Amino acid sequence: MDLHSTVRRMSVVILTLLALILAACGSSQPPAGGDQGAQPTAPTSPPVAQPQPTAPPMAGAEQQPTGTAAPSDPQQGGTLVVAHTSDPGSLNPAITTAFNVHFVTDQIFNGLVGLDDQLNPVPELAASWEVSEDGKVYTFNLQPNVTWHDGQPFTSADVKFSFEEALLKFHSRTKAGLEPVLEAIETPDANTVVFRFKQPYGPLLQRLDVVEAPIIPKHIYEGKDIQQDPAHLTPIGTGPFRFVEYVKGDHVTLERNPNYFREGLPYLDRVIFRIIPDANTAALALEQGEVDFLFSVQGSDIERLRQDADLTLVPGFGGSGGSLCQITLIPNLTKEPFNTLEARQAFYHALDREFILERVYFGQGSVSTGPISRQMSWAYTPEVQAYPYDPTLANELLDQVGYQRGSDGNRFTIRFTHASSFARLGEVMRDQLKEVGINLELESMDFNAAVDKVFIQKDFDLGVASYCNGPDPEIGVRRVYVSSNIGPIPFSNGASYRNDQVDQLFDQAATTIDRDQRAEIYRQIQKIIVDDVPYFWIVDSEGFRAYRSNFEGFRVSVGPFLETAFRRADR
């Protein structure tokens, strides 16, 4: 079975399961993929979450195309070494959506609600919840006797603090989605949290996992500058693993939390995240047994690693939290030439995205058509303005708006600020853009430095990000395009795009219960945004994870992917 077929089949499963559970929760919040179907508008009585399982489901056999044996009984103990592509820099996941942070910290912290391997909401720090019939009030009953890693009790005050002082200010997806609609967070007692909304809000349960809304300790951060506090480097969480050591540029070490509220978990004694920026080096380390888990396999390595009997390859949905991610170029709309629509259209026509997909990403994915991944098929529409590779048209458009070629053949120079992992993409684009007289100057940087320069300093011409859609457009798409999310926030509206109609339509979609009606609103949004071309959408990503076959139990498409991982006793 090829990757595309696997992803499509997995998407159908995700849709079916999510449709059932979301109907039960009184929400039309749709899943990440699958066909379109009608959903009930509201429940007749408030739904209540079922009791929490002691162990979330692990990746099933259908996710293991390499023919490995059925999972053995989980064993306690062992050390796992994970290859990490970049230095986290900070270990506070509540103030960023950056993968390099969450990849580590999603093992240290928890959300109120988790997501299972099909992205269904399941209890986590909240043992159960109730939703009012009008969809405006969510009441969460917290797990009893949960403690932070330093022994302090976890309470509803931590939840309220995390949202009001961190998530609603600095987490780009949560801020963009909840800030306009959330009325208040109340804590009637230490074990109860109430979210009150100004209007019905269906997608809430999908955005409360550790990726979208990690809960951080009030007693550590209260009264401090939450973006700069040194506590970022010694995180205290409630999650399955406790922080031990962070040596910048080298490794992060975690150990088993013996007091984890999910009895019997985790199985591993220790996890070491080795920072290996070079993908070739990371793959070699996996083959030689120096590391045990690789989150993303280069297209050029897939077939070779697949043939290794000591390794297992499994498909993953994309980014952290089961997201559907898109490689997206970010033009600075406040500067020439990208403040002109025709220049943006010309730039897009000058890019051969089919070539980029095949030569840079080895066919892992599909060419993007707009701001919603085609993998989220219920909300996606292909009926938008197309920008096929057409250098002749690109040259004509640039001539029309007055960007004439100089004596050296160049019309203007664009500085492409990017993390080193996008170096190959930059090289290919540089060659393609020469044909229309655009000189692309490559500015390759450390991941954190590139994020800071593009999103915080706004000192760039063209940036790039793997924007992840999340399990709903309200979660991952909205934050990129609404004008309220323009600001010094990582992975927010980096292009500084403003369109009042788009803002209004996103607000309308968030308050609409019927899924078909929401889908129609998102189709309108896509058409308007693609006409404006405020970003350049390149590839809807797909990919593989790889790990040594003496380990099992990885949850490959959710944030806490190590919670149920274990070392096999027979290897």
Side-chain angles (χ1 to χ4, degrees):
M1 184 183 298
D2 63 20
L3 176 59
H4 297 280
S5 298
T6 300
V7 171
R8 280 193 291 270
R9 292 188 182 188
M10 291 172 69
S11 297
V12 172
V13 174
I14 295 167
L15 170 63
T16 304
L17 293 174
L18 268 176
L20 292 172
I21 196 163
L22 290 173
C25 292
S27 163
S28 66
Q29 206 286 285
D35 58 0
Q36 287 186 356
Q39 292 228 2
T41 57
T44 56
S45 60
V48 180
Q50 297 300 310
Q52 176 186 332
T54 56
M58 297 179 291
E62 73 277 2
Q63 293 177 297
Q64 300 184 15
T66 51
T68 57
S72 55
D73 292 334
Q75 303 294 315
Q76 196 78 49
T79 296
L80 178 82
V81 181
V82 179
H84 194 0
T85 57
S86 57
D87 203 319
S90 165
L91 294 171
N92 183 346
I95 60 173
T96 182
T97 61
F99 169 80
N100 64 319
V101 175
H102 279 264
F103 190 51
V104 176
T105 59
D106 290 353
Q107 323 314 314
I108 300 173
F109 295 88
N110 293 103
L112 273 179
V113 174
L115 296 175
D116 68 14
D117 292 323
Q118 287 74 43
L119 306 187
N120 301 317
V122 295
E124 198 158 301
L125 287 175
S128 64
W129 54 84
E130 299 178 357
V131 185
S132 65
E133 290 188 20
D134 63 5
K136 294 182 179 181
V137 182
Y138 289 71
T139 302
F140 295 90
N141 305 302
L142 303 184
Q143 297 280 1
N145 304 317
V146 176
T147 60
W148 294 98
H149 293 159
D150 61 1
Q152 292 295 310
F154 159 74
T155 72
S156 58
D158 295 305
V159 178
K160 182 178 175 68
F161 175 84
S162 297
F163 276 89
E164 293 181 348
E165 301 303 324
L167 296 166
L168 292 170
K169 293 181 178 180
F170 307 114
H171 188 287
S172 66
R173 292 195 293 259
T174 299
K175 178 181 185 297
L178 293 188
E179 187 179 47
V181 296
L182 184 63
E183 182 176 281
I185 299 175
E186 301 170 357
T187 54
D189 58 57
N191 294 312
T192 308
V193 180
V194 180
F195 285 71
R196 295 190 182 276
F197 289 88
K198 302 172 186 176
Q199 58 204 31
Y201 188 73
L204 182 65
L205 296 179
Q206 294 300 125
R207 64 181 324 139
L208 294 181
D209 73 316
V210 70
V211 177
E212 300 303 326
I215 304 303
I216 59 174
K218 178 181 178 180
H219 68 278
I220 296 294
Y221 288 106
E222 187 175 24
K224 300 178 180 179
D225 182 347
I226 205 163
Q227 289 187 294
Q228 303 295 331
D229 193 79
H232 293 341
L233 301 180
T234 56
I236 300 293
T238 56
F241 293 94
R242 302 188 304 192
F243 173 80
V244 175
E245 180 183 48
Y246 176 18
V247 178
K248 286 196 171 185
D250 190 81
H251 70 272
V252 180
T253 300
L254 310 180
E255 67 181 7
R256 182 177 184 271
N257 175 12
N259 300 313
Y260 192 41
F261 62 88
R262 282 179 165 154
E263 186 177 355
L265 293 178
Y267 300 116
L268 296 169
D269 285 339
R270 183 169 288 246
V271 177
I272 300 172
F273 289 86
R274 274 190 56 193
I275 299 167
I276 308 176
D278 182 75
N280 294 319
T281 303
L284 182 62
L286 178 70
E287 291 178 281
Q288 295 179 345
E290 296 173 5
V291 302
D292 304 304
F293 186 95
L294 192 61
F295 183 81
S296 180
V297 180
Q298 293 185 111
S300 56
D301 294 335
I302 289 176
E303 289 307 316
R304 186 181 81 254
L305 298 185
R306 194 192 297 273
Q307 300 305 315
D308 190 329
D310 293 327
L311 302 178
T312 299
L313 267 69
V314 297
F317 297 155
S320 141
S323 300
L324 306 173
C325 300
Q326 296 180 295
I327 305 299
T328 306
L329 299 178
I330 308 168
N332 190 337
L333 303 185
T334 69
K335 300 172 58 177
E336 291 187 351
F338 293 128
N339 60 349
T340 303
L341 174 61
E342 291 82 2
R344 298 197 299 274
Q345 292 172 331
F347 189 94
Y348 211 11
H349 280 301
L351 296 177
D352 187 344
R353 289 175 286 154
E354 291 285 356
F355 183 91
I356 290 172
L357 173 62
E358 294 303 321
R359 297 300 179 90
V360 178
Y361 297 103
F362 293 86
Q364 294 187 89
S366 54
V367 171
S368 301
T369 60
I372 293 180
S373 169
R374 70 180 70 236
Q375 296 172 21
M376 196 185 298
S377 60
W378 74 273
Y380 168 79
T381 178
E383 297 176 0
V384 296
Q385 174 66 41
Y387 296 89
Y389 177 54
D390 191 339
T392 300
L393 177 56
N395 275 309
E396 291 175 358
L397 287 168
L398 292 171
D399 286 340
Q400 289 173 16
V401 292
Y403 287 110
Q404 303 299 321
R405 291 180 183 266
S407 58
D408 59 358
N410 292 330
R411 301 176 188 272
F412 49 77
T413 294
I414 294 295
R415 178 167 44 99
F416 178 40
T417 302
H418 62 280
S420 58
S421 57
F422 290 103
R424 175 62 178 158
L425 172 63
E427 293 166 358
V428 170
M429 290 198 305
R430 180 176 57 190
D431 291 342
Q432 293 179 355
L433 292 168
K434 283 180 182 177
E435 191 170 350
V436 299
I438 297 175
N439 178 41
L440 192 68
E441 182 181 280
L442 305 184
E443 184 180 31
S444 182
M445 309 178 75
D446 166 82
F447 178 88
N448 294 317
V451 169
D452 183 74
K453 194 161 190 180
V454 172
F455 291 100
I456 309 301
Q457 299 179 37
K458 306 291 186 183
D459 179 18
F460 75 105
D461 299 327
L462 182 71
V464 62
S466 177
Y467 276 121
C468 295
N469 286 189
D472 186 284
E474 173 65 13
I475 297 174
V477 180
R478 176 192 179 99
R479 48 85 185 242
V480 185
Y481 303 98
V482 294
S483 59
S484 60
N485 217 32
I486 297 173
I489 304 168
F491 306 103
S492 57
N493 186 343
S496 298
Y497 174 59
R498 297 178 185 274
N499 185 310
D500 291 342
Q501 186 180 5
V502 169
D503 289 348
Q504 293 166 8
L505 286 170
F506 270 113
D507 288 343
Q508 182 182 345
T511 62
T512 301
I513 298 299
D514 182 79
R515 190 182 69 173
D516 288 342
Q517 293 177 16
R518 293 187 74 210
E520 177 56 35
I521 295 169
Y522 286 125
R523 283 192 283 271
Q524 294 179 50
I525 287 172
Q526 289 167 84
K527 291 177 181 179
I528 295 168
I529 291 177
V530 175
D531 283 347
D532 287 346
V533 63
Y535 291 81
F536 307 117
W537 307 279
I538 306 299
V539 171
D540 293 354
S541 303
E542 297 172 3
F544 278 95
R545 323 295 190 229
Y547 54 88
R548 297 199 65 78
S549 300
N550 57 332
F551 289 92
E552 288 184 6
F554 299 104
R555 304 181 63 211
V556 296
S557 293
V558 296
F561 71 101
L562 298 178
E563 185 181 41
T564 53
F566 62 94
R567 188 181 184 95
R568 293 179 57 161
D570 58 344
R571 296 206 177 189

